Amino acid sequence: MNISAVLLAGGESRRMGQDKATLLFHGKPLWQIQLELLQRLQPAEIFVSARTDPAWRPVAVEFVADDPPSRGPLSGIAASLAQMHAAHLLALAIDMPFMNEQYVKFLCDQIELGRGVVPTIDSRAEPLAAIYPREADTDFRSALAGTDFSLQSVVRHLVESRKMREVRVRNQEKKLFLNVNELSDVAVL
């Protein structure tokens, strides 16, 4: 598969009260669940993007520091786009443990040369499980140089400029996008 992949792990986990990455979910830490998913896709390269290099990062996975000052996932995706060697970058949040290989492969089948894909639920983009084209690098750099650090804004611009296209998430797929933000979410999920 001619894509690069980044596991976005740069959040501060304030609501969680502990590092989300190491939280056990069905007996495995979230980082391991997501990294194993990315590895099964056999991308050209895998990055872990965070503010600092996490102790749990396997040696074979490259660390990419969020562009300082960190603007959340916007910084992590921008830094990864700048370092990747493939034509597209699959971005995946560390706290989406229900995402599966079948759906990510479906997203990969939707990309085109110079054009990525972003899932949408009720007209809202899901940019933390999306595929960005290399050409989005300039848009991310512009956003970081500006004052609007909303990933929703960047994705909306990318869709309008036809660098990405939206894919509607069906009702039965919405569970894939549930994320773990608080300890109580683990019990509910």
Side-chain angles (χ1 to χ4, degrees):
M1 192 172 294
N2 187 23
I3 62 167
S4 296
V6 60
L7 180 57
L8 300 167
E12 294 180 23
S13 302
R14 276 178 256 146
R15 289 180 281 174
M16 182 65 69
Q18 69 181 68
D19 182 8
K20 279 186 197 181
T22 59
L23 182 71
L24 292 181
F25 188 81
H26 297 276
K28 285 185 177 180
L30 287 177
W31 72 263
Q32 186 177 358
I33 293 168
Q34 298 303 73
L35 199 55
E36 287 175 355
L37 168 59
L38 294 177
Q39 289 169 332
R40 284 193 304 274
L41 297 169
Q42 298 180 331
E45 58 200 346
I46 300 176
F47 304 114
V48 168
S49 175
R51 293 168 192 255
T52 58
D53 193 355
W56 50 261
R57 180 184 58 85
V59 175
V61 175
E62 188 176 339
F63 170 65
V64 175
D66 285 2
D67 283 348
S70 182
R71 304 294 185 200
L74 185 73
S75 295
I77 295 170
S80 300
L81 282 166
Q83 290 196 29
M84 72 177 198
H85 294 99
H88 290 85
L89 176 70
L90 166 62
L92 182 63
I94 200 151
D95 62 357
M96 257 186 232
F98 291 107
M99 187 54 62
N100 65 36
E101 183 178 355
Q102 178 183 353
Y103 190 79
V104 176
K105 283 183 176 180
F106 162 75
L107 290 178
C108 291
D109 289 342
Q110 307 306 307
I111 61 176
E112 303 167 28
L113 188 61
R115 194 171 188 197
V117 62
V118 61
T120 58
I121 298 175
D122 302 326
S123 301
R124 182 165 173 82
E126 292 292 336
L128 302 182
I131 302 175
Y132 298 88
R134 172 186 300 284
E135 292 78 2
D137 181 55
T138 55
D139 302 273
F140 275 85
R141 297 277 162 216
S142 294
L144 286 173
T147 57
D148 181 1
F149 305 118
S150 164
L151 197 46
Q152 290 290 325
S153 296
V154 174
V155 168
R156 189 171 30 256
H157 173 74
L158 289 168
V159 169
E160 290 168 359
S161 64
R162 302 188 47 79
K163 291 182 184 175
M164 292 186 82
R165 75 178 187 87
E166 297 174 314
V167 173
R168 302 270 178 237
V169 175
R170 297 178 301 188
N171 282 336
Q172 64 268 32
E173 298 165 338
K174 289 181 179 178
K175 181 180 180 181
L176 301 175
F177 295 88
L178 294 176
N179 59 16
V180 179
N181 286 315
E182 299 175 2
L183 283 174
S184 60
D185 292 341
V186 176
V188 172
L189 300 174

